[in-house]
Amino acid sequence: MIALRAEGLSLGYDGAPVVSGVDLAIEPGELFAVAGASGCGKSTLLRAFAGLLPPRAGTLLAGDEPVRGTSPDRALVFQDDALLPWRTARRNVELPLAIRGVPRSERRARAAEWLARVGLAGQERRLPGQLSGGMRQRVQLARTLAGAPRAVLMDEPFGALDAQTRAAMQRLLIEVRDASPATVVFVTHDVDEALLLGDRVAVLAPDGVRDLVDVPHPRDVDARGAPEVAAARTRILTALEPVLEAEPCAPRP
Ligand SMILES: Nc1ncnc2c1ncn2[C@@H]1O[C@H](COP(=O)(O)OP(=O)(O)OP(=O)(O)O)[C@@H](O)[C@H]1O
């Protein structure tokens, strides 16, 4: 588990910055949710934490080290599963083990164990194209966690799933993370998902973090109707509203 920190962070591509003035301190082992309007830089922030996009200004730290590139310690999970279509489920999960230098003889067993943990025992030999969207996301989760990353960066990982599969994946994430702790940064459009999964929720806007909300009773499905959870939802929506109203969420001059 690793701390992730941004100080005065500015990010962008060509032209004007997409997001600037971002200050965040994510604790080791925290499940940190990032909400924000479409196009406000949530994916861009994750890409920077993953080491795929250098800061234009400010500081980005993983532990005490500046983020200078990608690392198996920081794994990125996408909405569209990024499985290799020609490799079976098991051989996809073996990939990060190979990167970590796990001997070939051990990889197969460890990959099969991970697939069983995400409810896919018996599906090891299937190709991604032979699996449903929810099953592919399970394989992706198994593949990510098999590499024992210290931080997992999840970009709307369940956004493409139907409501029932999505709820099952949320439960699965809670379970497997309890067993294999890692710092998790979770980007979502869905305020209720942020409130269910996160310890804290950051509302991101082009000029930085608009609000940082502590979640009451994180990961407690039974607490969803509690008044303090409703108050946290209202606070997040209040911070989001001006960002949503300021369509399009265009880069600042
Ligand atoms: N590779 C790229 N090159 C140039 N501009 C980009 C690139 N990727 C994203 N952008 C721009 O950066 C801005 C922020 O995009 P980003 O994907 O980070 O937003 P987001 O908050 O994750 O949006 P969404 O919720 O819709 O996924 C947008 O204006 C987008 O067009």
Side-chain angles (χ1 to χ4, degrees):
M1 295 191 289
I2 198 166
L4 296 170
R5 258 190 308 149
E7 285 163 14
L9 183 69
S10 172
L11 299 169
Y13 304 90
D14 303 325
V18 165
V19 65
S20 22
V22 179
D23 294 306
L24 281 177
I26 301 171
E27 305 289 334
E30 185 172 19
L31 207 161
F32 191 88
V34 179
S38 186
C40 280
K42 305 182 294 298
S43 301
T44 300
L45 179 65
L46 277 200
R47 260 178 246 146
F49 275 133
L52 294 169
L53 186 70
R56 287 184 158 201
T59 312
L60 196 56
L61 298 172
D64 295 327
E65 299 289 318
V67 173
R68 289 212 178 88
T70 59
S71 156
D73 275 344
R74 285 172 274 115
L76 195 52
V77 180
F78 301 95
Q79 176 181 105
D80 300 319
D81 69 77
L83 300 175
L84 299 181
W86 58 88
R87 289 177 76 107
T88 63
R90 195 198 73 227
R91 285 179 36 78
N92 263 287
V93 178
E94 283 181 23
L95 274 176
L97 299 170
I99 291 168
R100 288 282 191 191
V102 174
R104 194 181 289 269
S105 54
E106 265 181 54
R107 280 181 221 157
R108 176 181 287 217
R110 282 178 51 183
E113 250 168 58
W114 268 105
L115 285 168
R117 285 175 72 178
V118 300
L120 289 179
Q123 310 291 333
E124 297 85 352
R125 296 166 71 92
R126 297 238 187 163
L127 292 168
Q130 299 171 315
L131 299 170
S132 69
M135 288 162 109
R136 287 200 298 275
Q137 279 307 60
R138 284 169 190 259
V139 178
Q140 200 185 185
L141 193 58
R143 184 177 71 177
T144 303
L145 296 175
R150 300 170 74 194
V152 181
L153 307 164
M154 307 186 89
D155 195 356
E156 295 247 20
F158 311 144
L161 304 176
D162 63 81
Q164 206 180 340
T165 311
R166 188 174 185 144
M169 288 301 297
Q170 291 165 347
R171 286 195 296 276
L172 180 66
L173 175 63
I174 293 170
E175 271 170 41
V176 291
R177 184 182 156 276
D178 281 350
S180 307
T183 308
V184 178
V185 186
F186 192 102
V187 162
T188 181
H189 271 107
D190 180 342
V191 173
D192 288 316
E193 185 169 70
L195 278 168
L196 174 66
L197 295 175
D199 293 294
R200 289 186 294 165
V201 180
V203 177
L204 191 66
D207 56 354
V209 174
R210 280 288 161 94
D211 201 0
L212 194 54
V213 179
D214 284 321
V215 175
H217 319 295
R219 295 173 291 287
D220 181 353
V221 178
D222 297 330
R224 274 193 283 197
E228 55 274 29
V229 176
R233 182 183 296 106
T234 303
R235 182 166 157 187
I236 293 167
L237 289 171
T238 305
L240 263 175
E241 190 186 19
V243 190
L244 294 170
E245 292 295 333
E247 286 282 7
C249 199
R252 292 179 326 136

